[in-house]
């Protein structure tokens, strides 16, 4: 039986705006697009040290040990998906809403339960299409650490949380042209505009929520805790505010330090080789290994480059360098280079064909 334990973690909840409409228009195309977009999302979540907890229908739940990396991952996801949507007709674009919460949850095996998960899901339900909404617990941790802006949205009413949860919209650029909110939500937002502040806490008289708790046991109203993997979409109280323009992309990852360490090691190897020179430049081999490592780290940080094409390019350069460093009159690298080129061409063709079949 799986061990049950409590832990503090950052919950990332996402689902698709107008998923039923997209499915009604083109089931197969929508499913293919959902798979492609969710694969991109999972890759970016993993790149920021997160873990996909579960997926269901058009939804996804992930967790992060770092609050900052969770917000950076959400910004990277929305930016990459915006680029993919730009290639598609407006009626087939797939726009995700993301909610992020830092809270205490119950972990049982790979699943997560409790109010910490449910709050993230309700934050996601209030986000505009292509937008991100975070709780005050997340805002307190990232306000000075992530290069984006924030707008205070007011109190989000959440079941079993007295006083609600203060929430913030993350400003990652104007998305009004792509967001397709319902007319009812627009009317509500116009008639009851939430309080907004610029990168600061809510007014002193704003109610502060009780700390979110994971409802492993029976809740006060007798309902059972909901698992992250099986959580059903629920209506959220409050309005869906339009997202303010401006805001920069996420700050650079700490992985820059890895590249700096690699550069120091490479310089040390060259210095040792020169100081102990005996006519052999043996340092080219460890330098080649360090170069490959650096290229892979750099590729993982790039969201605008297909990872398969990037790895094929790294492999091709590696083969060429090995041939040159051990050259004995035969250019044998031409054959593996030909194979890698054909594999890259096939990958390129498949990437170009998929959007047409889903359009």
């Amino acid at each position: 039986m799986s061990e049950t334990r409590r832990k503090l973690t950052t919950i990332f909840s996402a689902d698709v705006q107008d998923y039923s409409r997209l499915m009604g228009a083109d089931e197969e195309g929508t499913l293919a697009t959902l798979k492609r977009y969710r694969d991109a999302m999972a890759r970016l979540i993993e790149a920021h040290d997160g873990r996909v907890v579960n997926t269901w229908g058009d939804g996804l739940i992930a967790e992060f040990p770092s609050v900052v990396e969770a917000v950076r991952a959400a910004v990277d996801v929305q930016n990459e998906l915006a680029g993919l949507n730009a290639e598609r007709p407006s009626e087939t674009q797939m726009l995700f809403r993301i909610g992020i919460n830092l809270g205490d949850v119950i972990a049982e095996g790979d699943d997560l339960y409790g109010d910490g998960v449910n709050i993230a899901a309700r934050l996601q339900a209030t986000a505009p299409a292509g937008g991100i909404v975070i709780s005050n617990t997340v805002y307190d941790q990232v306000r000075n650490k992530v290069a984006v802006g924030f707008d205070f949205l007011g109190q989000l009413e959440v079941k079993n949380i007295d006083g609600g949860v203060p929430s913030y919209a993350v400003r990652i650029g104007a998305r009004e042209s792509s967001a397709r909110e319902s007319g009812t939500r627009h009317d509500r937002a116009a008639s009851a505009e939430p309080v907004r502040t610029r990168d600061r806490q809510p007014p002193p008289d704003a109610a502060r929520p009780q700390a979110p708790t994971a409802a492993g046991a029976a809740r006060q109203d007798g309902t059972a805790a909901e698992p992250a993997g099986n959580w059903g979409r629920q209506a959220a109280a409050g309005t869906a505010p339009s997202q303010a323009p401006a805001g920069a992309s996420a700050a650079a990852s700490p992985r820059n330090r890895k590249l700096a360490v690699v550069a120091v090691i490479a310089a040390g190897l060259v210095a040792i080789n020169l100081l102990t020179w005996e006519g052999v430049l043996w340092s080219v081999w460890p330098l080649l290994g360090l170069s490959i490592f650096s290229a892979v780290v750099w590729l993982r940080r790039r969201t605008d480059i297909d990872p398969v094409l990037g790895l094929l390019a790294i492999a091709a350069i590696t083969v060429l360098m090995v041939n040159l460093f051990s050259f004995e009159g035969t250019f044998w690298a031409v054959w593996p280079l030909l194979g890698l080129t054909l594999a890259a061409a096939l990958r390129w063709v498949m990437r170009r064909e998929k959007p047409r079949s889903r359009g």
Side-chain angles (χ1 to χ4, degrees):
M1 189 172 180
S2 300
E3 178 186 359
T4 299
R5 66 191 188 283
R6 286 185 178 274
K7 67 176 181 177
L8 185 69
T9 192
T10 308
I11 303 298
F12 173 114
S13 175
D15 82 346
V16 179
Q17 172 77 7
D18 291 338
Y19 183 69
S20 298
R21 177 186 62 79
L22 294 170
M23 285 291 287
D26 180 7
E27 277 191 355
E28 293 185 0
T30 297
L31 288 174
T33 301
L34 176 63
K35 183 179 185 304
R36 180 187 177 195
Y37 284 24
R38 202 145 59 183
D39 286 348
M41 190 179 299
R43 169 170 54 81
L44 291 169
I45 288 170
E46 182 181 353
H48 287 273
D49 301 321
R51 174 181 75 92
V52 175
V53 176
N54 215 326
T55 60
W56 74 99
D58 61 319
L60 177 146
I61 290 284
E63 70 165 333
F64 292 80
S66 165
V67 187
V68 172
E69 290 301 317
V71 174
R72 287 175 175 167
V75 172
D76 284 351
V77 164
Q78 294 295 30
N79 285 334
E80 175 153 334
L81 297 188
L84 294 176
N85 280 322
E87 303 172 358
R88 304 177 60 84
S90 59
E91 65 273 9
T92 64
Q93 291 181 359
M94 184 171 286
L95 302 166
F96 278 81
R97 302 173 299 196
I98 297 176
I100 304 176
N101 179 51
L102 170 65
D104 187 75
V105 302
I106 293 177
E108 186 176 68
D110 291 333
D111 284 330
L112 301 176
Y113 301 80
D115 285 342
V117 177
N118 297 334
I119 290 172
R122 286 162 173 78
L123 290 167
Q124 164 264 114
T126 68
I132 304 166
V133 172
I134 63 174
S135 66
N136 65 311
T137 55
V138 174
Y139 173 81
D140 290 341
Q141 297 297 319
V142 305
R143 56 181 301 189
N144 297 320
K145 300 173 185 174
V146 181
V148 294
F150 303 91
D151 289 320
F152 179 55
L153 304 179
Q155 303 293 122
L156 170 66
E157 296 300 324
V158 179
K159 192 175 182 180
N160 296 323
I161 303 297
D162 292 340
V165 176
S167 58
Y168 295 79
V170 179
R171 276 190 262 119
I172 53 177
R175 298 189 186 279
E176 286 80 2
S177 60
S178 60
R180 292 187 297 270
E181 296 296 323
S182 68
T184 302
R185 296 182 73 180
H186 277 304
D187 291 341
R188 286 206 307 263
S191 61
E193 176 118 5
V195 178
R196 293 179 182 271
T197 64
R198 182 178 177 84
D199 298 351
R200 64 175 184 265
Q201 289 283 8
D205 58 347
R208 302 293 292 182
Q210 295 178 352
T213 58
R219 297 178 178 172
Q220 294 177 355
D221 62 354
T223 59
E226 300 174 39
N230 298 317
W231 175 83
R233 191 176 310 133
Q234 302 186 24
T239 64
S242 60
Q243 205 165 6
S249 60
S253 168
R255 291 182 180 82
N256 284 333
R257 285 178 293 205
K258 293 182 181 178
L259 298 181
V261 171
V262 169
V264 172
I265 294 173
L269 288 170
V270 172
I272 293 172
N273 195 169
L274 294 177
L275 292 173
T276 61
W277 181 258
E278 295 181 356
V280 178
L281 190 62
W282 52 262
S283 60
V284 296
W285 299 110
L287 287 175
L288 178 61
L290 291 172
S291 299
I292 295 170
F293 172 79
S294 300
V296 171
V297 170
W298 175 82
L299 179 63
R300 282 172 58 88
R301 294 173 54 191
R302 296 299 298 264
T303 60
D304 58 337
I305 298 176
D306 183 274
V308 176
L309 292 176
L311 289 174
L312 289 172
I314 293 172
I317 294 172
T318 302
V319 169
L320 182 60
M321 291 298 100
V322 170
N323 194 171
L324 293 178
F325 292 158
S326 61
F327 192 71
E328 295 181 355
T330 303
F331 188 52
W332 51 262
V334 65
W335 300 112
L337 286 175
L338 178 60
L340 291 169
T341 302
L342 291 174
L346 285 174
R347 174 67 176 180
W348 180 261
V349 170
M350 291 175 65
R351 277 173 54 88
R352 290 295 157 188
E353 287 297 325
K354 284 181 179 180
R356 295 195 192 105
S357 63
R358 291 194 295 269

